[in-house]
């Protein structure tokens, strides 16, 4: 076999990093630490680790002196050996030794994998006959897959697996935890390209013919070094999917009809060179992989990694390295007696898209999302929530894209249940047990942005009972609504958070409120509006590009700047700093001047498109505020330098703080409280009657609002009209205006369930 696939390429581009590589993203919870396992790495090739007992087994050109190996003419190195290393009390790997003489030859061996009991080893090896090489018709010595079983202190004579008998290479085995699926790499005929990934299924004591994993995983390039985790996540290396360079590490998960599109693990796992052979422990907190791009002792080195404050899934999730597609989830709802509950209302919200800061010209939501430690703007469709009810068996099924979700389950007379969970694969099932809410007050709240007329989905309210200290944490749904039961005759402190930031505080007193017999009378209604663009908010504009040594904006930069213009139109009170940063190459004085020119050009573009220059403060910081370690005198690659070349906008002055309106839903009476952005200084105002507006879309362009109005009228909502609320630049489509909150709720529900029209209820003083 060509040792390019079995072993590795010898010709390297070496990038010298510290031996300990800390992931640069300090804003996320899970952090990743890489370490070069110096004790086992040699000047040759050391790669493809696998777990075994108290350490690892791996492949190396550094065979012990008493092991005879041929010299590979292409690599100019000894043939590969299977070595073993044990961990010491500190977790570090010790000096390696030969794994097993019974499966050692003068030719190439490895990689290997073990079954769950570690009593069977599967491995690749060159084809031989009576200890001598056997060449195929093309003159190459092929690779085959073999199995050997533990026998006392040693191993049995290796047996070739039945399906690898042709003029091709079968190598890199990976066995499933149940022992019934064997994944491997092969260049056998009928594949997608060079080396493809295949799976063979155990049929009793035999194996099926291998099945190609298909064109979602396999490409015209090479897919090699598979590893199947116990949760069925498949990790592998590819040089043809979208890579940083050379072979990169990818993962994929099973979906309803095969496999999801592979996801690049990103840095620091992947480099501009070759990265491959990853393994992950059962908890996904630790593992090993091979690389020749992270610096080290020789060509290919083995690195260990560990994840603090989470696991690998958490780390990938927080860095938005997620599979595409929709995955099935199932919710079971029952009471405390294990009886299933029919017609419970289920509301599901994707928390990754919840921090809404405005709308674009088409009425879509502009959200602020944290990606790789940067807050960036991303446009998502209006209302990303799912609403429905459980069936007669108390079940609710949904299809969800990968993300972090909150599932809210409510039923009159029961306390609302909240489940927060990451969805990264199909087949996840949840059970919610609802408790009776006897003797409590039914409390409703609506949170919205007054300026943009958008519901504040995914906001968090923390209620603290001032007598008992008990805290309740509640999340708003896609329409900005809260449906919850609170104690009677109690004083609550209410803290309001959006995107993890405290937006305001207020008080709530439930004295005198009673739960009606129907569960729908005597409701308390709290309506909160605030601007999520508080002073100090910083937004990275990742699509602002400049040519090297140039301050001129490139055409692709205008996409992000258009969103900034939209926000400036919607928030007439905000003032922005336009901060430009360079990398550390060049002199301090030159970089400072270049960054100022770039910031000035951003300001010029915005002012030419209607933003008053008085609301802009262009500032160049040069290389003074790097995001990573790349300061003067530090050797960094281009990708690391590029992370520091950026443009950010920072809100210097924002909109006013939150306004809280506590409304009697049955009488239409209420009182309003202003909550400062800096929490405190609560001021009570006089009682006022309220109107409730069912808003089904808000648009910067009046023509779009008028088109939405005609659509609703055609559905029978003949009172629909366009309203421009005080202080807002948006044209809002109002399906109905009423002083009866119950009527507003009914219309809103009909719009969602019958017409699939997204909407929210906006309360306003008459």
């Amino acid at each position: 076999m060509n040792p390019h696939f079995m072993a590795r390429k010898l010709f390297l581009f070496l990038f010298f990093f510290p031996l300990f590589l800390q992931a640069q993203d300090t804003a996320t919870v899970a952090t990743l630490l890489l370490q070069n396992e110096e004790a086992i790495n040699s000047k040759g090739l050391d790669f493809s680790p696998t777990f075994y007992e108290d350490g690892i087994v791996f492949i190396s050109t550094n065979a012990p002196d008493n092991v005879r190996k041929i010299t590979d003419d292409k690599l100019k190195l000894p043939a590969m050996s299977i070595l073993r290393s044990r961990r010491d009390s500190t977790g570090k790997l010790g000096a390696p030794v030969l794994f097993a003489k019974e499966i050692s030859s003068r030719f190439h061996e490895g990689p290997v994998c073990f079954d769950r009991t570690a009593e069977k080893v599967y491995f690749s090896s060159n084809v031989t006959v009576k200890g001598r090489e056997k060449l195929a018709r093309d003159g190459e010595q092929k690779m085959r897959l073999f199995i050997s079983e533990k026998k006392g202190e040693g191993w049995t004579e290796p047996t070739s697996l039945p399906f690898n008998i042709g003029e091709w290479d079968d190598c890199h085995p990976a066995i499933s935890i149940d022992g019934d699926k064997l994944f491997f790499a092969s260049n056998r005929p009928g594949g997608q390209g060079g080396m493809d990934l295949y799976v063979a299924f155990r049929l009793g004591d035999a194996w099926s013919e291998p099945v190609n994993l298909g064109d979602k995983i396999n490409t015209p390039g090479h897919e090699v070094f598979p590893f199947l985790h116990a949760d069925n996540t498949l990790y592998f290396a590819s040089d043809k999917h979208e890579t940083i360079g050379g072979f990169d590490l990818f993962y994929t998960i099973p979906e309803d009809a095969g496999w999801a599109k592979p996801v690049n693990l990103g840095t620091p796992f992947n480099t501009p060179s070759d990265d491959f052979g990853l393994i992950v422990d059962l908890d996904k907190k630790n593992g090993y992989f091979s690389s020749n791009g992270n610096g080290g002792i020789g060509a290919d080195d083995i690195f260990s990694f560990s994840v603090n404050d989470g696991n690998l899934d958490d780390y990938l999730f927080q860095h938005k390295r997620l599979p595409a597609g929709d995955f099935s989830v199932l919710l079971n709802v029952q009471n405390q007696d294990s009886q299933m509950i029919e017609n419970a209302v289920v509301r599901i919200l994707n928390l990754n898209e919840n921090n809404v800061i405005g709308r674009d010209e088409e009425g879509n939501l502009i959200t602020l999302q944290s990606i790789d430690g940067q807050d960036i703007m991303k446009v998502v469709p209006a209302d990303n929530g799912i609403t429905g009810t459980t069936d007669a068996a108390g079940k609710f099924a949904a299809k969800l894209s990968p993300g972090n979700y909150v599932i809210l389950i409510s039923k009159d007379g029961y306390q609302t249940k909240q489940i927060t969970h990451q969805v990264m694969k199909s087949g996840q099932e949840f059970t919610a047990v609802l408790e009776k809410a006897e003797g409590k007050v039914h409390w409703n709240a609506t949170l919205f942005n007054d300026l943009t007329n958008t519901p504040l989905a995914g906001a968090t309210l923390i209620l603290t009972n001032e007598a008992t200290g008990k805290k309740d944490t509640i999340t708003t749904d896609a329409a900005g609504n809260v449906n919850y039961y609170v104690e009677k005759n109690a004083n609550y402190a209410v803290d309001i958070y959006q995107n993890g930031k405290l937006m305001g505080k207020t008080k709530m007193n439930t004295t005198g409120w009673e739960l009606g017999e129907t569960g729908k009378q005597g409701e308390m209604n709290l309506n909160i509006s605030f601007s999520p663009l508080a002073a100090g908010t910083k937004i990275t504009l990742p699509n602002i590009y400049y040519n090297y040594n140039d301050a001129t904006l490139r055409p692709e930069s205008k996409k992000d700047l258009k969103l900034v213009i939209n926000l400036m139109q919607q928030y007439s009170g905000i003032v922005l700093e336009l901060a430009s940063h360079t990398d550390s190459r060049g002199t301090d004085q030159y970089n400072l001047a270049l960054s100022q020119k770039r910031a000035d050009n951003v300001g010029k573009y915005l002012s030419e498109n209607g933003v008053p220059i008085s609301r802009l403060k262009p500032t160049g910081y040069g290389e003074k505020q790097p995001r990573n370690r790349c300061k003067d005198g530090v050797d960094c690659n281009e990708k690391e330098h590029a992370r520091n070349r950026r443009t950010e906008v920072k809100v210097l002055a924002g909109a006013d703080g939150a306004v809280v309106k506590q409304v009697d839903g049955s009488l239409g009476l209420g009182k309003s409280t202003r909550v400062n952005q800096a929490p405190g200084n609560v001021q009570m105002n006089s009682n006022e009657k309220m109107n409730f507006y069912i808003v089904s879309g808000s648009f910067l362009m009046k023509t779009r609002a008028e088109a939405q109005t005609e659509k609703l009228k055609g559905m029978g909502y003949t009172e629909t009209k366009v309203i421009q609320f005080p202080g807002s630049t948006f044209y809002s489509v109002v399906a109905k205006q009423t002083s009866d909150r119950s009527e507003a709720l009914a219309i809103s529900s009909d719009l969602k369930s019958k017409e699939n029209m997204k909407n929210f209820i906006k309360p306003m003083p008459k």
Side-chain angles (χ1 to χ4, degrees):
M1 175 191 178
N2 186 332
H4 176 84
F5 303 114
M6 187 276 171
R8 299 292 300 110
K9 290 186 293 185
L10 181 63
F11 305 102
L12 310 172
F13 295 97
L14 294 179
F15 293 85
F16 296 96
F17 293 86
L19 295 180
F20 291 87
L21 298 179
Q22 181 77 34
Q24 298 299 327
D25 183 3
T26 59
T28 55
V29 175
T31 56
L32 188 73
L33 182 71
L34 302 189
Q35 179 178 346
N36 187 299
E37 292 292 338
E38 295 178 303
I40 65 171
N41 289 320
S42 66
K43 292 182 180 180
L45 304 174
D46 306 281
F47 64 97
S48 199
T50 191
F51 295 113
Y52 182 69
E53 294 183 348
D54 56 353
I56 65 169
V57 169
F58 66 101
I59 312 307
S60 177
T61 57
N62 186 33
D65 292 338
N66 62 344
V67 177
R68 294 177 57 201
K69 286 285 182 179
I70 66 166
T71 297
D72 188 294
D73 292 336
K74 295 180 179 178
L75 293 175
K76 308 300 182 187
L77 288 169
M80 306 297 158
S81 295
I82 304 172
L83 305 185
R84 177 184 182 181
S85 172
R86 289 182 166 90
R87 283 186 291 271
D88 63 20
S89 59
T90 67
K92 291 185 178 180
L93 294 172
V97 297
L98 186 69
F99 170 64
K101 63 181 181 180
E102 297 88 349
I103 61 175
S104 179
S105 71
R106 295 188 303 118
F107 302 97
H108 288 298
E109 288 107 25
V112 311
C113 69
F114 297 90
D115 73 350
R116 181 174 53 185
T117 66
E119 297 289 322
K120 294 179 181 179
V121 59
Y122 299 86
F123 64 98
S124 313
S125 182
N126 275 146
V127 179
T128 61
V129 175
K130 296 182 179 180
R132 301 178 64 85
E133 66 179 359
K134 179 183 178 182
L135 301 181
R137 286 192 294 268
D138 62 4
E140 295 281 348
Q141 189 180 15
K142 301 299 181 181
M143 298 297 296
R144 292 284 183 266
L145 294 175
F146 294 84
I147 182 173
S148 178
E149 298 189 30
K150 195 75 179 288
K151 185 177 181 181
E153 296 299 317
W155 295 84
T156 62
E157 181 75 17
T159 302
S160 175
L161 294 181
F163 48 75
N164 51 184
I165 57 176
E167 296 281 315
W168 56 73
D169 297 295
D170 290 336
C171 51
H172 310 166
I175 193 76
S176 62
I177 195 167
D178 60 11
D180 289 340
K181 295 181 288 292
L182 184 69
F183 293 79
F184 62 94
S186 178
N187 57 5
R188 59 181 54 218
Q192 307 296 324
M195 298 294 288
D196 278 7
L197 296 185
Y198 287 80
V199 61
F201 299 92
R202 185 187 296 277
L203 304 173
D205 294 331
W207 289 95
S208 73
E209 279 300 307
V211 178
N212 189 288
L213 294 192
D215 58 7
K216 272 194 177 180
I217 291 181
N218 293 316
T219 70
H222 305 289
E223 282 67 48
V224 286
F225 297 99
F227 171 75
L228 187 72
H229 191 267
D231 70 357
N232 289 319
T233 303
L234 179 65
Y235 301 89
F236 65 96
S238 172
D239 66 354
K240 195 63 175 180
H241 286 288
E242 295 181 8
T243 69
I244 296 173
F247 280 95
D248 273 9
L249 288 164
F250 292 82
Y251 80 91
T252 181
I253 59 177
E255 61 178 13
D256 295 339
W259 296 90
K261 181 181 177 181
V263 180
N264 190 303
L265 266 65
T267 58
F269 290 105
N270 290 321
T271 69
S273 295
D274 291 327
D275 312 283
F276 58 101
L278 179 137
I279 58 173
V280 189
D281 71 359
L282 195 62
D283 297 325
K284 291 193 171 182
K285 293 187 69 68
N286 303 280
Y288 299 88
F289 70 102
S290 327
S291 175
N292 64 18
N294 271 318
I297 296 171
D300 294 335
D301 275 10
I302 291 175
F303 291 79
S304 62
F305 71 88
S306 59
V307 185
N308 296 322
D309 301 317
N311 62 16
L312 180 59
D313 284 348
D314 296 322
Y315 180 81
L316 296 173
F317 187 92
Q318 292 160 15
H319 287 74
K320 303 296 186 295
R321 298 165 193 169
L322 301 173
D326 291 332
F327 303 118
S328 58
V329 298
L330 180 65
L331 176 69
N332 303 294
V333 181
Q334 62 188 44
N335 62 23
Q336 290 176 290
D337 296 324
S338 298
Q339 297 171 325
M340 306 310 291
I341 299 178
E342 183 181 4
N343 291 326
V345 177
V346 179
R347 293 164 291 161
I348 303 177
L349 176 70
N350 187 334
L351 290 175
N352 300 100
E353 301 175 351
N354 71 316
N355 189 28
V356 179
I357 59 175
R359 293 183 185 264
D360 67 6
E361 291 180 348
E362 297 180 0
N364 295 312
L365 303 181
I366 303 174
T367 64
L368 200 59
Q369 300 185 24
S370 178
I371 298 178
D372 286 341
Q374 309 170 49
D375 284 340
I376 68 170
M377 290 182 292
K378 186 176 179 181
V379 176
V380 301
D383 189 349
N384 66 343
I386 295 174
T387 301
T389 57
T390 55
D391 61 18
K395 297 182 180 295
F396 181 82
K399 291 276 193 177
L400 303 176
S401 60
N404 192 24
Y405 287 86
V406 60
I407 304 173
L408 301 163
I409 309 103
S410 59
K411 174 88 171 177
D412 284 345
Y414 290 89
Q415 182 59 283
T416 297
K417 185 79 171 182
Q418 178 172 310
I419 299 172
T420 302
H421 202 84
Q422 293 179 1
V423 174
M424 294 184 69
K425 58 184 178 181
S426 279
Q428 291 178 282
E429 188 169 347
F430 310 99
T431 297
V433 179
L434 301 189
E435 301 175 5
K436 282 285 188 179
E438 296 174 348
K440 293 188 176 183
V441 175
H442 197 182
W443 178 59
N444 287 280
T446 301
L447 276 69
F448 58 94
N449 185 333
D450 244 340
L451 295 176
T452 61
N453 291 310
T454 51
L456 292 166
T460 300
L461 303 177
I462 298 179
L463 276 63
T464 304
N465 188 315
E466 295 185 331
T468 65
K470 182 178 180 294
K471 294 182 183 292
D472 290 291
T473 301
I474 312 160
T475 303
T476 60
D477 65 12
N481 293 325
V482 166
N483 180 352
Y484 204 71
Y485 287 85
V486 293
E487 298 293 338
K488 296 189 300 182
N489 304 320
N491 288 311
Y492 285 91
V494 183
D495 294 333
I496 308 159
Y497 291 83
Q498 180 78 349
N499 200 32
K501 299 174 183 176
L502 183 63
M503 307 306 298
K505 293 174 176 282
T506 189
K507 301 282 188 180
M508 185 173 71
N509 186 345
T510 67
T511 301
W513 293 89
E514 300 290 341
L515 175 65
E517 292 180 2
T518 64
K520 296 182 179 178
Q521 299 173 355
E523 294 176 342
M524 286 188 62
N525 299 292
L526 184 69
N527 301 293
I528 303 169
S529 68
F530 60 82
S531 163
L533 275 185
T537 301
K538 187 183 292 185
I539 304 171
T540 300
L541 306 179
N543 298 312
I544 304 299
Y545 300 109
Y546 307 93
N547 292 326
Y548 176 72
N549 198 29
D550 189 2
T552 304
L553 280 170
R554 285 162 54 176
E556 57 265 42
S557 303
K558 296 177 183 178
K559 177 182 178 181
D560 278 355
L561 292 179
K562 191 173 184 179
L563 295 180
V564 174
I565 294 168
N566 290 159
L567 293 177
M568 296 295 280
Q569 292 170 342
Q570 295 160 42
Y571 296 90
S572 58
I574 62 173
V575 177
L576 296 182
E577 177 187 60
L578 309 173
S580 181
H581 304 264
T582 68
D583 60 38
S584 61
R585 295 176 292 189
T587 66
D588 292 355
Q589 185 177 3
Y590 174 81
N591 285 334
L592 190 63
L594 178 62
S595 65
Q596 186 62 52
K597 287 180 183 178
R598 289 176 171 174
D600 288 339
N601 280 343
V602 172
K604 180 182 178 183
Y605 179 84
L606 294 177
S607 65
E608 288 174 348
N609 285 272
V611 179
I613 196 68
S614 60
R615 297 174 60 196
L616 303 171
K617 183 183 177 183
T619 306
Y621 287 93
E623 58 182 89
K624 295 179 182 177
Q625 298 181 3
R627 280 188 176 139
N628 52 27
R629 64 190 182 88
C630 298
K631 300 179 181 180
D632 288 339
V634 177
D635 187 14
C636 293
N637 62 27
E638 179 57 32
K639 186 175 181 66
E640 290 180 300
H641 282 304
R643 182 171 169 79
N644 292 324
R645 296 194 301 269
R646 66 197 189 276
T647 296
E648 299 167 337
V649 296
K650 181 180 179 181
V651 180
L652 299 179
D656 289 337
V659 176
V660 180
K661 296 183 176 69
Q662 189 167 311
V663 183
D664 180 333
S666 59
L667 300 178
L669 298 176
K671 50 192 176 183
S672 66
T673 306
R674 177 164 293 280
V675 182
N676 291 340
Q677 208 76 10
N681 301 323
V682 177
Q683 177 185 355
M684 301 300 295
N685 296 326
S686 60
N687 288 349
E688 51 195 350
K689 291 186 176 182
M690 304 297 294
N691 271 329
F692 300 95
Y693 297 81
I694 300 92
V695 179
S696 184
S698 295
F699 304 87
L700 283 172
M701 298 174 63
K702 190 175 182 180
T703 53
R704 292 184 180 275
E706 290 171 342
Q708 177 80 333
T709 299
E710 293 305 312
K711 183 177 181 180
L712 282 165
K713 285 183 176 180
M715 294 176 177
Y717 297 90
T718 56
E719 298 181 46
T720 303
K721 57 186 174 181
V722 177
I723 293 179
Q724 204 165 15
F725 291 104
S728 175
T729 58
F730 281 89
Y731 296 97
S732 295
V733 178
V734 176
K736 176 78 173 182
Q737 173 187 337
T738 177
S739 58
D740 186 337
R741 186 175 187 276
S742 296
E743 181 185 7
L745 286 169
I747 296 171
S748 175
S749 178
D750 280 347
L751 274 170
K752 287 180 180 177
S753 61
K754 295 179 181 178
E755 310 293 350
N756 197 28
M757 296 289 289
K758 311 302 183 183
N759 68 87
F760 79 104
I761 299 173
K762 179 182 175 73
M764 287 192 67
K766 284 188 176 180

